[in-house]
Amino acid sequence: MSDTPHRSRLRWLAWLAPGAGPLRRYLLLWLLVPQLVLWLGAAVLSYTVAARYANLALDRSLYQASRALARQVKPMGSGLLIDFPKAARDIIETDPDDRVYYMVSAPPGQLILGNQRLPEPPPEVSSPNGLGPVLDKPRFYDAMLKEQGGAVQVRVVALYLAWGDADAPQTMLVQLAKSRIGRDTLATQILHDTALPLTGLVLLMSLIVWASLRAGLAPLARLHQAVISRAPSHLDPIQLGRAPEEVQALTDALNKLLQAVRESVGQQQRFISDAAHQLRTPLAGLKSQTELALREATDPALRARLTRVHESATRSAHLVTQLLTLARAEPESSHVMARSLFDLRRLAEELTAELVPRALQAGVDLGWADDDPEAAGDGPLRVIGHALLVREALSNVIDNAIRYAGRGAEVTVRARAEDGQAVVEVDDTGPGIALAQREAVFERFYRGTQEGLGCGLGLPIVKEIIERHAGTVTLLDRPPHGLRVRVRLPLAARV
């Protein structure tokens, strides 16, 4: 047995169920579908009422015509006098589209007058009580007449009349039929006259319902826009203005949630700052003590152990700094730092100058290069963002180049404007990064090499900060060998 009907019903239920789609569609369906059902019911009822009154009008016309026809047959002695001139027949048969059929039989069934043999009334019509026909009371019924053009549906009136002497009473049956074309036409016209205005009212009501729903759901739309247009770091309360009580309650709940998140982030920031401070102090002391111990130690084995301790302390201090930077770069935390307009070219140039001593200590030639030296002083790259975080990101890029390019390598930093974006590139002549690893190095704690004292957070921090500023960071080859790190940030609109 096929379960297609069952699946179809389930699809309809899912379509009508709340939560299966937009609330506007759900409300429209539940408001408009009953209107459609009521409209169909009203149309059926209108047609039924129209058909009933058309029947009553037709029956009244048939009854009056049957009385007039009965008067043309008059008892005379023991016989009947038929006074039915041709003019009277022409009047009855004048409409070819709505033809009238008549028959007078006495006794019933034996034609004495008429233009068509009509079937006798069924027993339930002619004798409703089972005691014979009811005299002088019209009875109506539907019948089918066969003509040359086919069968015709007619409405028939049957009128039984008594005639004859008291000793020999007889019954005369007067039947008059008319096609149902006129009745059906009248019922259809009444239906049209009532259904068309009703359809217009339903359409107007549907438009009113749609407009009302749109106006009623407008506060929800405003709330939706207020939420999606916010940056993840924007945790201030939502100001919605005038709104229904239910929407205002939802807004208040969201504001309470934002307040809780803001307090939680603040506590997290305070904890990170306190933890970083508490960890930096003993680590700095440990590094200082190991440096002093290395100066005084003469035993090679002891010096080797102290060197490993010093390297571990240095790596731990670097890890603490990187974790603090990464926590500040998280979307939930960046709101605590103010955004400002700053010159990215100047920031990168100053940072490069500050890192020159570290590069010299590592045996690396670090320098700044302008793509267009003539425009270097006249072309600031103005961007909007957290200057300290962007500085930290660029510092990580340059620091990675110094750490892993190797002694004797060259590191070059440059900045330029390109297609409405500020571009900073850091080139090095080191071994570079294999193409297969360029996605993985942006994952936290992934290290592409075991050399150096890195902790696998440098490039993830860069990506996190730059993407929080709607920018991109890309790793490229630097011909003939080496690595190029390209950072792009959107330029601020000129005022």
Side-chain angles (χ1 to χ4, degrees):
M1 181 177 178
S2 175
D3 59 346
T4 300
H6 177 66
R7 292 181 179 178
S8 178
R9 287 193 296 270
L10 289 180
R11 283 196 295 269
W12 271 106
L13 288 176
W15 181 266
L16 294 174
L23 180 61
R24 182 177 300 174
R25 185 186 70 188
Y26 168 73
L27 293 175
L28 277 175
L29 284 175
W30 279 103
L31 288 173
L32 296 183
V33 169
Q35 289 187 41
L36 179 60
V37 172
L38 291 175
W39 178 83
L40 291 175
V44 172
L45 180 61
S46 297
Y47 184 78
T48 303
V49 172
R52 176 173 176 270
Y53 281 103
N55 260 343
L56 290 175
L58 180 59
D59 290 349
R60 187 176 294 109
S61 173
L62 288 174
Y63 174 64
Q64 292 174 354
S66 65
R67 282 293 185 185
L69 181 60
R71 285 195 293 269
Q72 306 306 315
V73 183
K74 304 173 183 177
M76 181 174 286
S78 60
L80 294 171
L81 173 63
I82 300 175
D83 184 13
F84 195 46
K86 184 177 183 303
R89 290 198 303 268
D90 292 340
I91 292 174
I92 293 179
E93 301 174 5
T94 187
D95 189 355
D97 296 328
D98 198 8
R99 187 177 176 188
V100 176
Y101 309 92
Y102 57 93
M103 173 180 171
V104 179
S105 56
Q110 294 184 8
L111 177 65
I112 62 172
L113 175 65
N115 62 358
Q116 180 74 28
R117 279 196 170 270
L118 299 177
E120 291 190 30
E124 62 272 13
V125 173
S126 61
S127 180
N129 53 13
L131 301 178
V134 179
L135 300 178
D136 206 29
K137 185 174 183 181
R139 295 290 177 179
F140 301 93
Y141 61 96
D142 295 321
M144 295 289 295
L145 292 182
K146 292 183 180 180
E147 289 192 336
Q148 292 181 355
V152 179
Q153 289 186 338
V154 294
R155 182 71 170 172
V156 186
V157 60
L159 183 62
Y160 289 93
L161 300 172
W163 68 282
D165 298 332
D167 297 334
Q170 298 187 51
T171 302
M172 178 175 61
L173 173 60
V174 178
Q175 291 174 281
L176 197 139
K178 198 172 184 180
S179 67
R180 293 173 52 183
I181 296 176
R183 187 201 72 167
D184 294 341
T185 302
L186 178 61
T188 304
Q189 186 62 43
I190 295 175
L191 176 63
H192 288 170
D193 292 343
T194 55
L196 290 178
L198 185 62
T199 302
L201 289 175
V202 170
L203 292 177
L204 179 60
M205 186 177 296
S206 300
L207 289 176
I208 294 174
V209 167
W210 178 81
S212 301
L213 282 178
R214 186 173 181 180
L217 295 177
L220 280 179
R222 295 203 308 270
L223 177 60
H224 173 259
Q225 187 62 34
V227 172
I228 65 172
S229 62
R230 284 187 164 219
S233 58
H234 190 189
L235 300 177
D236 293 336
I238 298 173
Q239 303 296 333
L240 196 60
R242 294 185 60 185
E245 182 179 347
E246 294 78 5
V247 178
Q248 193 62 51
L250 178 60
T251 305
D252 293 342
L254 285 174
N255 287 336
K256 289 180 181 179
L257 178 61
L258 291 175
Q259 175 68 21
V261 172
R262 188 164 57 251
E263 293 176 356
S264 176
V265 170
Q267 293 175 359
Q268 177 185 355
Q269 288 299 308
R270 289 191 294 272
F271 170 77
I272 291 174
S273 299
D274 294 344
H277 177 74
Q278 295 298 326
L279 288 173
R280 280 175 176 174
T281 301
L283 287 174
L286 180 60
K287 287 177 63 179
S288 299
Q289 293 300 320
T290 53
E291 289 174 355
L292 293 174
L294 281 171
R295 293 176 185 175
E296 298 176 359
T298 57
D299 184 6
L302 179 60
R303 288 185 62 85
R305 293 189 182 93
L306 289 173
T307 299
R308 287 196 292 271
V309 171
H310 185 266
E311 291 177 352
S312 298
T314 302
R315 178 175 293 180
S316 298
H318 181 64
L319 177 61
V320 169
T321 301
Q322 295 287 64
L323 286 174
L324 179 59
T325 303
L326 184 63
R328 287 175 176 172
E330 293 287 345
E332 299 82 2
S333 306
S334 57
H335 75 283
V336 300
M337 304 181 66
R339 285 178 172 263
S340 61
L341 180 67
F342 62 92
D343 183 0
L344 184 62
R345 184 195 300 275
R346 182 176 178 181
L347 185 148
E349 190 173 0
E350 292 177 351
L351 181 62
T352 302
E354 292 177 9
L355 293 177
V356 167
R358 185 185 303 177
L360 293 175
Q361 186 179 3
V364 174
D365 182 9
L366 172 63
W368 172 266
D370 277 310
D371 288 347
D372 187 1
E374 295 182 357
D378 298 329
L381 303 177
R382 300 189 183 278
V383 298
I384 297 177
H386 304 296
L388 291 178
L389 289 180
V390 174
R391 177 187 177 88
E392 186 66 30
L394 295 181
S395 176
N396 274 289
V397 174
I398 301 173
D399 183 68
N400 274 358
I402 295 173
R403 285 174 181 269
Y404 302 110
R407 283 190 169 273
E410 295 180 0
V411 176
T412 304
V413 184
R414 61 173 56 87
R416 68 178 184 276
E418 182 179 278
D419 298 330
Q421 292 184 316
V423 180
V424 177
E425 291 180 342
V426 179
D427 293 354
D428 68 70
T429 58
I433 298 177
L435 185 62
Q437 290 183 310
R438 290 182 185 176
E439 290 293 332
V441 293
F442 288 109
E443 297 177 4
R444 298 180 182 182
F445 300 106
Y446 178 86
R447 299 190 64 198
T449 177
Q450 297 303 317
E451 298 180 3
L453 300 177
C455 54
L457 286 176
L459 287 178
I461 288 175
V462 174
K463 183 179 181 182
E464 185 75 36
I465 292 175
I466 298 303
E467 289 185 350
R468 290 308 310 156
H469 289 75
T472 59
V473 55
T474 312
L475 304 183
L476 304 169
D477 290 326
R478 178 198 176 277
H481 63 84
L483 181 69
R484 171 173 293 169
V485 182
R486 179 177 293 163
V487 175
R488 290 178 176 270
L489 288 174
L491 286 169
R494 294 184 179 181
V495 181

